[in-house]
Amino acid sequence: MNTYHAPHFDPTVDELETLKQLEMGQWVSTPQALKEHLSSRLYERGYLAKNSTGQLTITESGRALIRRQGN
């Protein structure tokens, strides 16, 4: 089953904040992300990934998203 992706993605304030935290080297655990209602959209669109220890990490696409939102 394929997941539909709208042609335009507008991240929420919480999603951007999470990406910024990860960009600054802070880690966000999966339980913490779920508690903060982190949207699975960041995973689905490739802005977040999990490393070998299960911690969330920002991808290059996530970094590019932050840069675009800053302009």
PDB file of all heavy atoms in Angstrom, residues 3-5 40-48:
ATOM      1  N   THR A   3       1.637   5.312   0.458  1.00  0.00           N
ATOM      2  CA  THR A   3       1.169   6.436   1.254  1.00  0.00           C
ATOM      3  C   THR A   3       1.092   7.657   0.363  1.00  0.00           C
ATOM      4  O   THR A   3       2.041   7.964  -0.360  1.00  0.00           O
ATOM      5  CB  THR A   3       2.139   6.709   2.420  1.00  0.00           C
ATOM      6  OG1 THR A   3       2.243   5.519   3.201  1.00  0.00           O
ATOM      7  CG2 THR A   3       1.639   7.839   3.286  1.00  0.00           C
ATOM      8  N   TYR A   4      -0.047   8.341   0.408  1.00  0.00           N
ATOM      9  CA  TYR A   4      -0.212   9.551  -0.389  1.00  0.00           C
ATOM     10  C   TYR A   4       0.561  10.693   0.253  1.00  0.00           C
ATOM     11  O   TYR A   4       0.505  10.895   1.460  1.00  0.00           O
ATOM     12  CB  TYR A   4      -1.687   9.936  -0.489  1.00  0.00           C
ATOM     13  CG  TYR A   4      -1.885  11.301  -1.096  1.00  0.00           C
ATOM     14  CD1 TYR A   4      -1.734  11.493  -2.463  1.00  0.00           C
ATOM     15  CD2 TYR A   4      -2.188  12.405  -0.303  1.00  0.00           C
ATOM     16  CE1 TYR A   4      -1.888  12.748  -3.024  1.00  0.00           C
ATOM     17  CE2 TYR A   4      -2.353  13.655  -0.853  1.00  0.00           C
ATOM     18  CZ  TYR A   4      -2.205  13.828  -2.224  1.00  0.00           C
ATOM     19  OH  TYR A   4      -2.349  15.068  -2.776  1.00  0.00           O
ATOM     20  N   HIS A   5       1.285  11.468  -0.554  1.00  0.00           N
ATOM     21  CA  HIS A   5       1.983  12.663  -0.100  1.00  0.00           C
ATOM     22  C   HIS A   5       1.475  13.840  -0.907  1.00  0.00           C
ATOM     23  O   HIS A   5       1.568  13.844  -2.137  1.00  0.00           O
ATOM     24  CB  HIS A   5       3.499  12.552  -0.306  1.00  0.00           C
ATOM     25  CG  HIS A   5       4.131  11.494   0.536  1.00  0.00           C
ATOM     26  ND1 HIS A   5       4.224  11.571   1.900  1.00  0.00           N
ATOM     27  CD2 HIS A   5       4.713  10.325   0.199  1.00  0.00           C
ATOM     28  CE1 HIS A   5       4.831  10.510   2.368  1.00  0.00           C
ATOM     29  NE2 HIS A   5       5.127   9.723   1.355  1.00  0.00           N
ATOM     30  N   SER A  40       4.302  11.591  12.239  1.00  0.00           N
ATOM     31  CA  SER A  40       5.011  10.597  11.435  1.00  0.00           C
ATOM     32  C   SER A  40       5.327  11.150  10.053  1.00  0.00           C
ATOM     33  O   SER A  40       6.088  10.543   9.304  1.00  0.00           O
ATOM     34  CB  SER A  40       4.172   9.327  11.313  1.00  0.00           C
ATOM     35  OG  SER A  40       2.965   9.599  10.646  1.00  0.00           O
ATOM     36  N   ARG A  41       4.786  12.311   9.722  1.00  0.00           N
ATOM     37  CA  ARG A  41       5.075  12.921   8.418  1.00  0.00           C
ATOM     38  C   ARG A  41       6.570  13.151   8.237  1.00  0.00           C
ATOM     39  O   ARG A  41       7.083  13.048   7.134  1.00  0.00           O
ATOM     40  CB  ARG A  41       4.332  14.252   8.259  1.00  0.00           C
ATOM     41  CG  ARG A  41       2.841  14.106   8.321  1.00  0.00           C
ATOM     42  CD  ARG A  41       2.078  15.388   8.102  1.00  0.00           C
ATOM     43  NE  ARG A  41       2.680  16.588   8.664  1.00  0.00           N
ATOM     44  CZ  ARG A  41       2.486  17.798   8.168  1.00  0.00           C
ATOM     45  NH1 ARG A  41       1.713  17.981   7.123  1.00  0.00           N
ATOM     46  NH2 ARG A  41       3.045  18.845   8.720  1.00  0.00           N
ATOM     47  N   LEU A  42       7.281  13.472   9.318  1.00  0.00           N
ATOM     48  CA  LEU A  42       8.722  13.695   9.198  1.00  0.00           C
ATOM     49  C   LEU A  42       9.444  12.418   8.789  1.00  0.00           C
ATOM     50  O   LEU A  42      10.414  12.461   8.035  1.00  0.00           O
ATOM     51  CB  LEU A  42       9.285  14.243  10.509  1.00  0.00           C
ATOM     52  CG  LEU A  42       8.781  15.626  10.921  1.00  0.00           C
ATOM     53  CD1 LEU A  42       9.339  16.005  12.285  1.00  0.00           C
ATOM     54  CD2 LEU A  42       9.131  16.673   9.888  1.00  0.00           C
ATOM     55  N   TYR A  43       8.984  11.272   9.299  1.00  0.00           N
ATOM     56  CA  TYR A  43       9.554   9.984   8.888  1.00  0.00           C
ATOM     57  C   TYR A  43       9.178   9.679   7.448  1.00  0.00           C
ATOM     58  O   TYR A  43      10.014   9.300   6.644  1.00  0.00           O
ATOM     59  CB  TYR A  43       9.003   8.835   9.747  1.00  0.00           C
ATOM     60  CG  TYR A  43       9.552   8.762  11.127  1.00  0.00           C
ATOM     61  CD1 TYR A  43       8.718   8.944  12.211  1.00  0.00           C
ATOM     62  CD2 TYR A  43      10.885   8.465  11.365  1.00  0.00           C
ATOM     63  CE1 TYR A  43       9.199   8.863  13.497  1.00  0.00           C
ATOM     64  CE2 TYR A  43      11.377   8.379  12.653  1.00  0.00           C
ATOM     65  CZ  TYR A  43      10.519   8.577  13.712  1.00  0.00           C
ATOM     66  OH  TYR A  43      10.992   8.492  14.981  1.00  0.00           O
ATOM     67  N   GLU A  44       7.890   9.827   7.152  1.00  0.00           N
ATOM     68  CA  GLU A  44       7.380   9.459   5.837  1.00  0.00           C
ATOM     69  C   GLU A  44       8.048  10.247   4.720  1.00  0.00           C
ATOM     70  O   GLU A  44       8.248   9.742   3.632  1.00  0.00           O
ATOM     71  CB  GLU A  44       5.867   9.674   5.780  1.00  0.00           C
ATOM     72  CG  GLU A  44       5.093   8.732   6.672  1.00  0.00           C
ATOM     73  CD  GLU A  44       3.637   9.118   6.815  1.00  0.00           C
ATOM     74  OE1 GLU A  44       3.218  10.162   6.256  1.00  0.00           O
ATOM     75  OE2 GLU A  44       2.910   8.372   7.492  1.00  0.00           O
ATOM     76  N   ARG A  45       8.400  11.476   5.000  1.00  0.00           N
ATOM     77  CA  ARG A  45       9.006  12.324   3.973  1.00  0.00           C
ATOM     78  C   ARG A  45      10.531  12.305   4.022  1.00  0.00           C
ATOM     79  O   ARG A  45      11.193  12.989   3.256  1.00  0.00           O
ATOM     80  CB  ARG A  45       8.499  13.741   4.106  1.00  0.00           C
ATOM     81  CG  ARG A  45       7.011  13.803   3.788  1.00  0.00           C
ATOM     82  CD  ARG A  45       6.602  15.179   3.447  1.00  0.00           C
ATOM     83  NE  ARG A  45       5.235  15.181   2.963  1.00  0.00           N
ATOM     84  CZ  ARG A  45       4.904  15.467   1.718  1.00  0.00           C
ATOM     85  NH1 ARG A  45       5.819  15.770   0.839  1.00  0.00           N
ATOM     86  NH2 ARG A  45       3.643  15.468   1.355  1.00  0.00           N
ATOM     87  N   GLY A  46      11.103  11.544   4.961  1.00  0.00           N
ATOM     88  CA  GLY A  46      12.550  11.379   4.997  1.00  0.00           C
ATOM     89  C   GLY A  46      13.307  12.494   5.701  1.00  0.00           C
ATOM     90  O   GLY A  46      14.508  12.630   5.504  1.00  0.00           O
ATOM     91  N   TYR A  47      12.639  13.272   6.550  1.00  0.00           N
ATOM     92  CA  TYR A  47      13.316  14.341   7.288  1.00  0.00           C
ATOM     93  C   TYR A  47      13.958  13.825   8.571  1.00  0.00           C
ATOM     94  O   TYR A  47      14.855  14.454   9.110  1.00  0.00           O
ATOM     95  CB  TYR A  47      12.344  15.469   7.624  1.00  0.00           C
ATOM     96  CG  TYR A  47      11.755  16.122   6.398  1.00  0.00           C
ATOM     97  CD1 TYR A  47      10.392  16.192   6.208  1.00  0.00           C
ATOM     98  CD2 TYR A  47      12.576  16.660   5.405  1.00  0.00           C
ATOM     99  CE1 TYR A  47       9.851  16.783   5.077  1.00  0.00           C
ATOM    100  CE2 TYR A  47      12.046  17.254   4.275  1.00  0.00           C
ATOM    101  CZ  TYR A  47      10.678  17.303   4.119  1.00  0.00           C
ATOM    102  OH  TYR A  47      10.159  17.888   2.992  1.00  0.00           O
ATOM    103  N   LEU A  48      13.487  12.695   9.068  1.00  0.00           N
ATOM    104  CA  LEU A  48      14.038  12.051  10.255  1.00  0.00           C
ATOM    105  C   LEU A  48      14.348  10.599   9.940  1.00  0.00           C
ATOM    106  O   LEU A  48      13.709   9.995   9.087  1.00  0.00           O
ATOM    107  CB  LEU A  48      13.021  12.053  11.400  1.00  0.00           C
ATOM    108  CG  LEU A  48      12.701  13.347  12.092  1.00  0.00           C
ATOM    109  CD1 LEU A  48      11.680  13.101  13.193  1.00  0.00           C
ATOM    110  CD2 LEU A  48      13.936  13.988  12.667  1.00  0.00           C
TER     111      LEU A  48
END
